[in-house]
């Protein structure tokens, strides 16, 4: 444990108490996404935090279900102290008052170290990830090269795996149809843009196998059910490492997003939650996460601690960032319900 990480915990609590002074009853329930990312967070953040503070971490898992958070808050039965929330989910639960506004002075973290990601008021930026297109290099030695290849079954025949969600499929459809990445949300906000996106999706609808959980995407690839698939970048790298398969990532139009550590309103262990956010936002734990899964640190000071061999797999490198699709939570808050209904109806046709 680094001195800086310990100091941050001390700043957040007013004292730099050794781990053994923590009360035996101190505990914290942290909820994340399960799978490879939670396993990585356990090694990089949860276990080191307990060693540093004596505060026991109990883990829970969820799939981004806002309704469960809302029910706990409204019925005053909150059992989660810290929640790993990503992208649009983070903004929605903040706007609805389901998570606390963060007091950065109490945290003792330098907010400027997180760049634009720190503009969000209800959480501490934790890690950057991306939804990418992945393939098996042994079966497709030359590509795909661009997001348009995902939609070109003549150039690359075979089934595609896609996340069963309008996001980021509608954005990708427009980019494949010639819309510049920077203009995607302006076009998708129009009726004509929506029609254009669905028309492009129509061209591959019969060649798609839909998945709903992150672990399914690399499995579809490993089983040979698809020639390429949308996938979470960390899942693909983890699957390749575990299986020895030559799974590769195509970074064009990778849908990049940020996750946040948030505190549900009514957390029964609020002070301990602040200690964890201070710890988890510090450079060393964020850099350590990349040892286990290639999700990029949000704290800019952590990047100097990352093994250079890991950099090609991170979504935030300058090369990847330059060609990424940066998701727009405000767009999906405004248009999400309508587009999800349209997407569900389209799938049923």
């Amino acid at each position: 444990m680094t001195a800086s990480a310990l100091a941050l915990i001390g700043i957040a609590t007013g004292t730099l108490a050794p781990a053994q002074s923590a009360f035996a009853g101190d505990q914290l329930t942290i909820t994340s996404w399960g799978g490879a990312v939670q396993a990585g967070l356990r090694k990089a953040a949860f276990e080191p935090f307990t060693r540093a503070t004596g505060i026991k971490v109990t883990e829970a898992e969820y799939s981004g279900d806002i309704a469960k958070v809302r029910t706990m808050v409204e019925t005053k039965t909150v059992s989660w102290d810290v929640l790993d929330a990503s992208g649009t989910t983070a903004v929605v639960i903040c706007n609805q008052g389901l998570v606390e506004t963060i007091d950065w002075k109490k945290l003792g973290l330098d907010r400027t170290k997180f760049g634009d990601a720190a503009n969000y008021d209800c959480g501490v930026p934790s890690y950057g990830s991306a939804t990418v297109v992945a393939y098996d290099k042994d079966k497709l030695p030359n590509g795909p090269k661009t997001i348009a290849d995902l939609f070109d079954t003549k150039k690359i025949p075979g089934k595609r795996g896609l996340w069963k969600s309008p996001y980021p499929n509608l954005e990708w459809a427009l980019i494949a149809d010639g819309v510049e990445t920077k203009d995607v949300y302006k076009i998708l906000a129009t009726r004509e843009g929506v029609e254009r996106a669905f028309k492009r999706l129509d061209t591959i609808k019969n060649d798609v196998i839909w998945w709903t959980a992150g672990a399914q995407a690399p499995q579809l690839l490993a089983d040979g059910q698809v020639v390429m698939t949308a996938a979470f970048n960390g899942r693909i790298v983890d699957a390749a490492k575990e299986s020895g398969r030559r799974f590769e990532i195509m970074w064009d139009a990778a849908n990049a997003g940020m996750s946040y550590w948030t505190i549900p309103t009514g957390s029964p262990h609020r002070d301990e939650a602040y200690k964890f956010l201070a710890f988890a936002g510090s450079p060393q734990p964020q850099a350590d996460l990349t040892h286990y899964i290639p999700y990029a640190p949000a704290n800019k000071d952590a990047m100097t601690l990352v093994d250079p061999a890991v950099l090609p797999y991170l979504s935030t490198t300058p090369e990847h960032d330059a060609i990424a699709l940066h998701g727009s939570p405000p767009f999906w808050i405004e248009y999400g319900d309508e587009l999800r209904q349209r997407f569900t109806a389209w799938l049923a046709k």
Side-chain angles (χ1 to χ4, degrees):
M1 181 55 52
T2 64
S4 60
L6 286 166
L8 280 167
I9 298 170
I11 291 169
T13 60
T15 60
L16 183 55
Q20 57 266 33
S21 71
F23 292 107
D26 285 353
Q27 59 183 322
L28 200 60
T29 298
I30 303 178
T31 302
S32 188
W33 299 87
V37 64
Q38 190 148 335
L41 290 168
R42 183 179 306 124
K43 295 295 185 183
F46 303 165
E47 292 176 354
F49 174 72
T50 295
R51 289 195 294 270
T53 65
I55 297 171
K56 178 184 177 183
V57 171
T58 298
E59 297 182 36
E61 298 179 11
Y62 83 134
S63 58
D65 185 4
I66 294 175
K68 185 167 185 178
V69 184
R70 182 182 299 111
T71 297
M72 285 197 296
V73 172
E74 291 179 349
T75 60
K76 301 186 185 306
T77 57
V78 177
S79 59
W80 296 347
D81 301 300
V82 176
L83 179 65
D84 182 358
S86 61
T88 302
T89 297
V91 176
V92 169
I93 59 179
C94 183
N95 290 348
Q96 295 182 359
L98 302 179
V99 290
E100 292 197 10
T101 299
I102 297 300
D103 181 352
W104 281 79
K105 290 182 179 179
K106 182 174 181 177
L107 283 175
L109 292 170
D110 183 351
R111 195 169 183 173
T112 65
K113 297 295 185 180
F114 297 87
D116 290 343
N119 292 337
Y120 174 64
D121 290 331
C122 291
V124 172
S126 52
Y127 57 87
S129 59
T131 305
V132 299
V133 173
Y135 63 98
D136 188 334
K137 195 170 180 65
D138 285 334
K139 297 180 179 179
L140 290 179
N142 296 318
K145 301 295 187 186
T146 69
I147 205 68
D149 290 337
L150 177 67
F151 291 81
D152 193 339
T153 55
K154 291 183 179 178
K155 179 179 178 181
I156 305 177
K159 296 287 187 180
R160 278 86 166 121
L162 289 180
W163 190 5
K164 199 174 185 179
S165 164
Y167 170 83
N169 295 315
L170 295 177
E171 292 98 320
W172 280 353
L174 287 178
I175 295 169
D177 206 50
V179 174
E180 290 191 36
T181 304
K182 64 182 179 65
D183 296 328
V184 163
Y185 291 106
K186 179 175 68 176
I187 300 298
L188 198 55
T190 68
R191 180 172 297 180
E192 295 77 13
V194 172
E195 295 299 328
R196 183 175 174 183
F198 277 103
K199 185 176 180 181
R200 191 62 186 237
L201 279 174
D202 278 335
T203 64
I204 60 169
K205 186 177 183 181
N206 293 333
D207 296 290
V208 172
I209 295 177
W210 301 99
W211 56 264
T212 56
Q216 292 174 284
Q219 193 61 52
L220 287 172
L221 208 55
D223 291 344
Q225 295 186 57
V226 298
V227 296
M228 66 183 85
T229 183
F232 305 139
N233 70 298
R235 292 275 191 174
I236 286 296
V237 175
D238 184 68
K241 182 171 62 177
E242 292 296 321
S243 68
R245 304 286 288 272
R246 297 177 68 203
F247 294 162
E248 294 283 343
I249 291 173
M250 191 276 295
W251 287 99
D252 183 51
N255 181 208
M258 182 61 63
S259 288
Y260 297 84
W261 292 118
T262 64
I263 302 176
T265 304
S267 158
H269 303 99
R270 183 173 180 272
D271 288 343
E272 290 81 2
Y274 260 89
K275 293 178 188 178
F276 177 76
L277 264 61
F279 176 86
S282 63
Q284 193 67 58
Q286 294 209 351
D288 286 347
L289 179 62
T290 65
H291 298 327
Y292 307 103
I293 190 167
Y295 285 159
N299 188 322
K300 297 184 186 305
D301 284 349
M303 288 301 291
T304 60
L305 306 175
V306 174
D307 183 345
V310 177
L311 293 177
Y313 305 106
L314 300 183
S315 61
T316 57
T317 63
E319 297 83 3
H320 296 159
D321 186 69
I323 57 175
L325 165 69
H326 295 283
S328 173
F331 173 89
W332 282 99
I333 289 171
E334 182 172 355
Y335 297 101
D337 288 344
E338 177 185 344
L339 291 174
R340 277 186 283 272
Q341 291 174 13
R342 173 72 186 274
F343 184 75
T344 300
W346 175 80
L347 285 174
K349 288 182 181 177

